[in-house]
Coordinates of all heavy atoms in Angstrom, one line a residue:
M1 N -3.5 30.5 24.3 CA -3.7 29.0 24.4 C -3.1 28.5 25.8 O -2.2 29.1 26.3 CB -2.8 28.4 23.2 CG -3.7 27.4 22.4 SD -2.7 26.6 21.1 CE -1.7 25.4 22.1
E2 N -3.7 27.5 26.2 CA -3.3 26.9 27.5 C -2.0 26.2 27.3 O -1.7 25.5 26.4 CB -4.4 25.9 27.9 CG -4.1 25.5 29.3 CD -5.4 24.7 29.8 OE1 -5.8 23.8 29.1 OE2 -5.9 24.9 30.9
V3 N -1.1 26.6 28.3 CA 0.3 25.8 28.3 C 0.1 24.5 28.9 O -0.5 24.3 30.0 CB 1.3 26.7 29.1 CG1 2.6 26.0 29.2 CG2 1.4 28.1 28.5
T4 N 0.6 23.5 28.2 CA 0.6 22.1 28.7 C 1.9 21.5 28.5 O 2.6 21.6 27.5 CB -0.4 21.2 27.8 OG1 -1.7 21.8 27.9 CG2 -0.5 19.9 28.4
K5 N 2.5 20.9 29.6 CA 3.8 20.3 29.6 C 3.5 18.8 29.7 O 2.6 18.3 30.5 CB 4.6 20.7 30.8 CG 4.9 22.2 30.9 CD 6.1 22.6 30.1 CE 6.4 24.1 30.4 NZ 7.5 24.5 29.6
E6 N 4.4 18.0 29.0 CA 4.2 16.5 29.0 C 5.5 15.9 29.4 O 6.6 16.3 29.0 CB 3.8 16.1 27.6 CG 2.4 16.6 27.3 CD 1.7 15.9 26.1 OE1 2.5 15.1 25.4 OE2 0.5 16.1 25.8
Y7 N 5.4 14.9 30.2 CA 6.5 14.1 30.7 C 6.3 12.6 30.5 O 5.2 12.1 31.0 CB 6.8 14.4 32.3 CG 6.8 15.8 32.5 CD1 5.7 16.6 32.9 CD2 8.0 16.5 32.5 CE1 5.7 17.9 33.1 CE2 8.1 17.9 32.7 CZ 6.9 18.6 33.0 OH 7.0 20.0 33.3
K8 N 7.1 12.0 29.7 CA 6.8 10.6 29.3 C 7.5 9.5 30.0 O 8.6 9.7 30.6 CB 7.2 10.5 27.8 CG 6.3 11.2 26.8 CD 6.5 10.8 25.4 CE 5.4 11.3 24.5 NZ 4.1 10.7 24.7
K9 N 6.8 8.4 30.2 CA 7.4 7.2 30.7 C 6.9 6.1 29.9 O 5.9 5.5 30.0 CB 7.0 6.9 32.1 CG 7.5 5.7 32.9 CD 6.9 5.6 34.2 CE 7.3 4.4 34.9 NZ 8.7 4.5 35.5
G10 N 7.6 5.8 28.7 CA 7.1 4.8 27.8 C 5.9 5.4 27.1 O 5.8 6.5 26.6
D11 N 4.9 4.5 27.1 CA 3.6 4.9 26.5 C 2.7 5.8 27.5 O 1.6 6.2 27.1 CB 2.8 3.7 26.1 CG 3.4 3.0 25.0 OD1 4.2 3.6 24.3 OD2 3.2 1.8 24.8
F12 N 3.2 6.0 28.7 CA 2.5 6.7 29.7 C 2.9 8.1 29.7 O 4.2 8.4 29.7 CB 2.7 6.1 31.0 CG 1.8 6.6 32.2 CD1 0.5 6.3 32.4 CD2 2.4 7.6 33.0 CE1 -0.2 6.8 33.4 CE2 1.7 8.2 34.1 CZ 0.4 7.8 34.2
T13 N 2.0 9.1 29.7 CA 2.4 10.5 29.7 C 1.8 11.3 30.9 O 0.5 11.2 31.0 CB 2.0 11.2 28.4 OG1 2.6 10.4 27.3 CG2 2.6 12.6 28.3
V14 N 2.6 11.9 31.7 CA 2.1 12.8 32.7 C 1.9 14.2 32.0 O 2.7 14.7 31.3 CB 3.1 12.9 33.9 CG1 2.5 13.9 34.9 CG2 3.2 11.6 34.5
I15 N 0.7 14.8 32.2 CA 0.4 16.1 31.7 C 0.2 17.1 32.8 O -0.5 16.8 33.8 CB -0.9 16.0 30.8 CG1 -0.9 15.0 29.7 CG2 -1.3 17.4 30.3 CD1 -2.1 14.5 29.2
W16 N 0.9 18.2 32.7 CA 0.9 19.2 33.7 C 0.5 20.6 33.0 O 1.0 21.0 32.1 CB 2.2 19.4 34.4 CG 2.1 20.4 35.5 CD1 1.4 20.4 36.7 CD2 3.1 21.4 35.7 NE1 1.7 21.4 37.4 CE2 2.7 22.1 36.9 CE3 4.1 22.0 34.9 CZ2 3.4 23.3 37.3 CZ3 4.7 23.1 35.3 CH2 4.4 23.7 36.6
K17 N -0.6 21.2 33.7 CA -1.0 22.5 33.2 C -0.7 23.5 34.2 O -1.4 23.7 35.3 CB -2.5 22.4 33.0 CG -2.9 21.5 31.8 CD -4.4 21.5 31.5 CE -4.6 20.6 30.4 NZ -6.1 20.3 30.2
P18 N 0.4 24.2 34.0 CA 0.9 25.1 35.1 C -0.1 26.2 35.6 O -0.1 26.6 36.7 CB 2.2 25.8 34.5 CG 2.4 25.2 33.1 CD 1.2 24.2 32.9
K19 N -0.9 26.6 34.7 CA -1.8 27.7 35.1 C -2.9 27.2 36.1 O -3.5 28.0 36.9 CB -2.6 28.3 33.8 CG -1.8 29.2 33.1 CD -2.6 30.1 32.2 CE -1.7 31.2 31.6 NZ -2.3 31.7 30.4
L20 N -3.1 25.9 36.1 CA -4.1 25.3 37.0 C -3.5 25.1 38.4 O -4.2 24.9 39.4 CB -4.8 24.1 36.4 CG -5.7 24.2 35.2 CD1 -6.3 22.9 34.9 CD2 -6.9 25.2 35.6
C21 N -2.1 24.9 38.4 CA -1.5 24.4 39.6 C -1.6 25.5 40.7 O -1.3 26.7 40.5 CB 0.0 24.2 39.2 SG 0.9 23.6 40.6
T22 N -2.0 25.0 41.8 CA -2.2 25.9 43.0 C -0.9 25.8 43.9 O -0.9 26.4 45.0 CB -3.4 25.6 43.8 OG1 -3.3 24.2 44.1 CG2 -4.7 25.8 43.0
H23 N 0.1 25.0 43.5 CA 1.3 24.8 44.2 C 1.0 24.4 45.7 O 1.7 24.7 46.6 CB 2.2 26.1 44.2 CG 2.4 26.5 42.8 ND1 3.4 25.9 42.0 CD2 1.8 27.4 42.0 CE1 3.4 26.4 40.8 NE2 2.4 27.4 40.8
A24 N -0.1 23.6 45.8 CA -0.4 23.0 47.0 C 0.7 22.0 47.6 O 0.7 21.8 48.7 CB -1.8 22.4 47.0
G25 N 1.4 21.5 46.6 CA 2.5 20.6 47.0 C 2.1 19.2 47.4 O 3.0 18.4 47.9
V26 N 0.8 18.8 47.1 CA 0.5 17.5 47.3 C 1.3 16.4 46.6 O 1.7 15.5 47.1 CB -1.1 17.2 47.0 CG1 -1.5 15.8 47.3 CG2 -1.9 18.2 47.9
C27 N 1.6 16.8 45.3 CA 2.4 15.9 44.5 C 3.8 15.7 45.1 O 4.3 14.6 45.2 CB 2.5 16.4 43.1 SG 3.0 18.1 43.0
V28 N 4.4 16.8 45.5 CA 5.7 16.8 46.1 C 5.8 16.0 47.3 O 6.8 15.2 47.6 CB 6.3 18.2 46.3 CG1 7.7 18.1 46.9 CG2 6.3 19.0 45.0
K29 N 4.8 16.1 48.2 CA 4.7 15.4 49.5 C 4.5 13.9 49.3 O 5.1 13.1 49.9 CB 3.6 15.9 50.3 CG 4.1 17.2 51.1 CD 3.0 17.8 52.0 CE 3.2 19.2 52.3 NZ 2.0 20.0 52.0
T30 N 3.7 13.6 48.2 CA 3.4 12.1 48.0 C 4.5 11.4 47.3 O 4.8 10.3 47.7 CB 2.0 12.1 47.1 OG1 1.1 12.9 47.7 CG2 1.5 10.7 47.1
L31 N 5.0 12.0 46.2 CA 6.1 11.4 45.5 C 7.3 12.3 45.3 O 7.6 12.8 44.3 CB 5.6 10.9 44.1 CG 4.6 9.7 44.1 CD1 4.1 9.5 42.6 CD2 5.2 8.5 44.7
P32 N 8.0 12.5 46.4 CA 9.2 13.5 46.3 C 10.2 13.0 45.3 O 11.0 13.9 44.9 CB 9.7 13.6 47.7 CG 9.2 12.4 48.4 CD 7.9 12.0 47.8
Q33 N 10.3 11.8 45.1 CA 11.3 11.3 44.1 C 11.0 11.6 42.7 O 11.8 11.5 41.8 CB 11.6 9.8 44.3 CG 10.5 8.8 43.9 CD 9.4 8.6 44.9 OE1 9.0 9.5 45.6 NE2 8.7 7.4 44.9
V34 N 9.7 11.9 42.5 CA 9.2 12.2 41.1 C 9.1 13.7 40.8 O 9.6 14.2 39.9 CB 7.8 11.5 40.8 CG1 7.3 12.1 39.5 CG2 8.0 10.0 40.9
Y35 N 8.5 14.4 41.9 CA 8.2 15.8 41.7 C 9.2 16.6 42.4 O 9.2 16.7 43.7 CB 6.8 16.2 42.2 CG 5.7 15.3 41.5 CD1 5.2 14.2 41.9 CD2 5.2 15.8 40.3 CE1 4.2 13.5 41.3 CE2 4.3 15.1 39.5 CZ 3.7 14.0 40.0 OH 2.9 13.2 39.3
Q36 N 10.1 17.2 41.7 CA 11.2 18.0 42.2 C 11.2 19.4 41.7 O 11.8 19.6 40.6 CB 12.5 17.2 41.9 CG 12.5 15.9 42.6 CD 13.6 15.0 42.1 OE1 14.3 15.1 41.2 NE2 13.9 14.0 43.0
P37 N 10.5 20.3 42.3 CA 10.3 21.7 41.8 C 11.6 22.4 41.4 O 11.6 23.3 40.6 CB 9.5 22.4 42.9 CG 9.0 21.3 43.7 CD 9.9 20.1 43.6
K38 N 12.7 22.0 42.0 CA 13.9 22.8 41.7 C 14.8 22.2 40.6 O 15.8 22.7 40.3 CB 14.7 22.8 43.1 CG 14.1 23.7 44.1 CD 15.0 23.9 45.3 CE 14.3 24.7 46.3 NZ 14.5 24.4 47.7
S39 N 14.3 21.0 40.1 CA 15.0 20.4 39.0 C 14.4 20.7 37.7 O 13.2 21.2 37.6 CB 15.0 18.9 39.2 OG 15.6 18.5 40.4
S40 N 15.0 20.5 36.6 CA 14.4 20.7 35.3 C 14.9 19.4 34.4 O 16.0 19.2 34.3 CB 15.0 21.9 34.7 OG 14.4 22.1 33.4
P41 N 13.8 18.6 34.0 CA 12.4 18.9 34.2 C 12.1 18.6 35.7 O 12.8 17.8 36.3 CB 11.8 17.8 33.3 CG 12.8 16.7 33.1 CD 14.1 17.4 33.2
W42 N 11.0 19.1 36.1 CA 10.6 19.0 37.5 C 9.8 17.7 37.8 O 9.7 17.3 38.9 CB 9.9 20.2 38.1 CG 8.4 20.2 37.7 CD1 7.8 20.6 36.6 CD2 7.3 20.0 38.6 NE1 6.5 20.5 36.6 CE2 6.1 20.1 37.9 CE3 7.2 19.6 40.0 CZ2 4.9 19.9 38.5 CZ3 6.0 19.4 40.5 CH2 4.8 19.6 39.8
V43 N 9.4 17.1 36.7 CA 8.7 15.8 36.9 C 9.6 14.6 36.4 O 9.9 14.7 35.1 CB 7.3 15.8 36.1 CG1 6.6 14.4 36.3 CG2 6.4 16.9 36.6
N44 N 9.9 13.7 37.2 CA 10.8 12.6 36.8 C 10.1 11.3 36.9 O 10.1 10.6 37.9 CB 12.1 12.6 37.7 CG 12.8 13.9 37.6 OD1 13.6 14.2 36.7 ND2 12.5 14.8 38.5
C45 N 9.4 11.0 35.8 CA 8.5 9.8 35.8 C 9.2 8.5 36.0 O 8.6 7.5 36.4 CB 7.8 9.7 34.4 SG 6.8 11.1 34.0
D46 N 10.5 8.5 35.7 CA 11.2 7.2 35.9 C 11.4 6.8 37.3 O 11.7 5.6 37.6 CB 12.6 7.3 35.2 CG 12.6 7.4 33.7 OD1 11.5 7.0 33.2 OD2 13.5 7.9 33.1
N47 N 11.1 7.7 38.2 CA 11.3 7.3 39.6 C 10.2 6.7 40.4 O 10.2 6.6 41.6 CB 11.8 8.6 40.4 CG 13.2 9.1 39.9 OD1 13.9 8.3 39.2 ND2 13.5 10.3 40.1
A48 N 9.1 6.4 39.6 CA 8.0 5.7 40.3 C 7.3 4.8 39.2 O 7.6 4.9 38.1 CB 6.9 6.7 40.8
S49 N 6.4 3.8 39.7 CA 5.7 3.0 38.8 C 4.5 3.7 38.3 O 4.2 4.8 38.8 CB 5.2 1.8 39.6 OG 4.2 2.2 40.5
I50 N 4.0 3.3 37.2 CA 2.8 3.9 36.6 C 1.7 3.9 37.6 O 0.9 4.9 37.6 CB 2.5 3.2 35.2 CG1 3.6 3.6 34.2 CG2 1.1 3.6 34.8 CD1 3.5 2.8 32.9
E51 N 1.6 2.8 38.3 CA 0.4 2.8 39.3 C 0.6 3.9 40.3 O -0.4 4.5 40.7 CB 0.6 1.4 39.9 CG -0.8 0.8 40.3 CD -1.9 0.9 39.2 OE1 -1.6 0.6 38.1 OE2 -2.9 1.5 39.6
E52 N 1.8 4.1 40.8 CA 2.1 5.1 41.8 C 1.8 6.5 41.2 O 1.2 7.4 41.8 CB 3.5 5.1 42.3 CG 3.9 3.9 43.2 CD 5.4 3.8 43.5 OE1 6.2 3.9 42.5 OE2 5.7 3.7 44.7
L53 N 2.2 6.7 40.0 CA 2.0 8.0 39.4 C 0.5 8.3 39.1 O 0.0 9.3 39.5 CB 2.6 8.0 37.9 CG 4.2 8.1 37.9 CD1 4.8 7.8 36.6 CD2 4.6 9.4 38.3
K54 N -0.2 7.2 38.7 CA -1.7 7.4 38.6 C -2.4 7.8 39.9 O -3.3 8.7 39.9 CB -2.4 6.1 38.0 CG -2.2 5.9 36.6 CD -3.0 4.6 36.2 CE -2.7 4.2 34.8 NZ -3.4 2.8 34.6
N55 N -2.1 7.0 41.0 CA -2.6 7.3 42.2 C -2.4 8.7 42.6 O -3.3 9.4 43.2 CB -2.1 6.3 43.3 CG -2.7 4.9 43.1 OD1 -3.7 4.8 42.5 ND2 -2.0 3.9 43.7
Q56 N -1.2 9.2 42.5 CA -0.8 10.5 42.9 C -1.6 11.5 42.0 O -2.2 12.5 42.5 CB 0.7 10.7 42.7 CG 1.1 12.0 43.4 CD 0.8 13.2 42.6 OE1 1.0 13.3 41.4 NE2 0.1 14.1 43.3
I57 N -1.6 11.3 40.7 CA -2.3 12.3 39.8 C -3.7 12.5 40.2 O -4.3 13.5 40.1 CB -2.0 11.8 38.3 CG1 -0.5 12.1 37.9 CG2 -2.9 12.6 37.3 CD1 -0.1 11.4 36.7
N58 N -4.3 11.3 40.5 CA -5.8 11.4 40.8 C -6.0 12.2 42.1 O -7.1 12.6 42.4 CB -6.3 10.0 41.0 CG -6.4 9.3 39.7 OD1 -6.5 9.9 38.7 ND2 -6.4 8.0 39.7
N59 N -4.9 12.5 42.9 CA -5.1 13.3 44.1 C -4.7 14.7 43.9 O -4.7 15.5 45.0 CB -4.3 12.6 45.2 CG -4.9 11.4 45.7 OD1 -6.1 11.3 45.9 ND2 -4.1 10.3 46.1
C60 N -4.3 15.1 42.8 CA -3.9 16.5 42.6 C -5.2 17.4 42.8 O -6.2 17.2 42.0 CB -3.3 16.7 41.2 SG -3.2 18.5 40.7
P61 N -5.2 18.3 43.8 CA -6.4 19.0 44.1 C -7.0 20.0 43.1 O -8.1 20.2 43.0 CB -6.1 19.7 45.5 CG -4.6 19.8 45.4 CD -4.1 18.6 44.6
S62 N -6.1 20.4 42.2 CA -6.5 21.5 41.3 C -6.8 20.9 39.8 O -7.4 21.6 39.1 CB -5.4 22.5 41.1 OG -4.3 21.8 40.5
G63 N -6.5 19.7 39.6 CA -6.7 19.1 38.2 C -5.5 19.6 37.3 O -5.6 19.3 36.1
A64 N -4.5 20.2 37.9 CA -3.3 20.5 37.0 C -2.6 19.4 36.4 O -2.1 19.4 35.3 CB -2.3 21.4 37.9
L65 N -2.7 18.2 37.2 CA -2.0 17.0 36.7 C -3.1 16.1 36.1 O -4.1 15.9 36.7 CB -1.3 16.3 37.9 CG 0.0 16.9 38.3 CD1 0.5 16.2 39.6 CD2 1.1 16.8 37.3
S66 N -2.7 15.5 35.0 CA -3.5 14.4 34.4 C -2.5 13.5 33.7 O -1.4 13.7 33.6 CB -4.7 15.0 33.5 OG -4.0 15.7 32.4
Y67 N -3.2 12.5 33.1 CA -2.3 11.5 32.3 C -3.0 11.0 31.1 O -4.2 11.0 31.0 CB -1.7 10.4 33.2 CG -2.8 9.5 33.9 CD1 -3.3 8.5 33.1 CD2 -3.3 9.8 35.1 CE1 -4.3 7.6 33.7 CE2 -4.2 9.0 35.7 CZ -4.8 7.9 34.9 OH -5.7 7.1 35.5
K68 N -2.2 10.4 30.2 CA -2.7 9.7 29.1 C -2.0 8.4 28.9 O -0.7 8.4 29.2 CB -2.9 10.5 27.9 CG -1.6 11.0 27.3 CD -1.9 11.9 26.1 CE -0.5 12.5 25.5 NZ -0.7 13.5 24.5
E69 N -2.6 7.4 28.3 CA -1.9 6.2 28.1 C -2.2 5.8 26.6 O -3.3 5.9 26.2 CB -2.4 5.0 28.9 CG -2.1 5.2 30.3 CD -2.7 4.2 31.2 OE1 -3.9 4.3 31.5 OE2 -2.1 3.2 31.6
Q70 N -1.2 5.6 25.8 CA -1.4 5.2 24.4 C -0.4 4.3 23.9 O 0.6 4.0 24.4 CB -1.4 6.5 23.5 CG -0.4 7.5 23.9 CD -0.5 8.7 22.9 OE1 0.1 8.7 21.9 NE2 -1.3 9.6 23.3
Ligands
SF4_1 S1 -0.5 18.5 43.5 FE1 -1.3 19.5 41.6 S2 -1.9 21.5 42.3 FE2 -0.6 20.6 43.9 S3 1.5 21.3 43.4 FE3 1.2 19.3 42.4 S4 0.5 19.7 40.4 FE4 0.2 21.6 41.5

């Protein structure tokens, strides 16, 4: 089964699929206050607005990052 990690910010959820991640680092370069590979959890949604998170997620080159709103 595919491993999926979820990171919540209220009703907004960042979804990360580690197997798809090419570690290109686009996320880390764009929002270093959110994506901190050396921390656990490595995604800190509280450090950016939902709009900023969405814009960044849409730029993930591998499709490893996605999001859902409910
Ligand atoms: S931008 Fe996407 S592919 Fe690149 S390191 Fe981040 S999650 Fe992985």
Side-chain angles (χ1 to χ4, degrees):
M1 231 182 81
E2 192 172 45
V3 177
T4 302
K5 302 269 188 188
E6 296 194 348
Y7 307 90
K8 286 193 172 293
K9 181 183 179 72
D11 291 339
F12 185 82
T13 306
V14 175
I15 300 161
W16 183 56
K17 295 181 178 171
K19 280 204 173 154
L20 291 182
C21 179
T22 55
H23 304 283
V26 176
C27 53
V28 179
K29 278 180 205 130
T30 311
L31 290 178
Q33 71 276 34
V34 173
Y35 299 97
Q36 298 171 342
K38 290 184 182 144
S39 300
S40 182
W42 81 283
V43 180
N44 301 279
C45 300
D46 288 340
N47 294 342
S49 68
I50 288 173
E51 216 42 53
E52 287 173 312
L53 289 167
K54 278 187 191 174
N55 286 338
Q56 192 290 307
I57 288 165
N58 290 335
N59 284 325
C60 171
S62 68
L65 285 171
S66 59
Y67 61 83
K68 64 182 177 191
E69 296 173 280
Q70 40 181 269

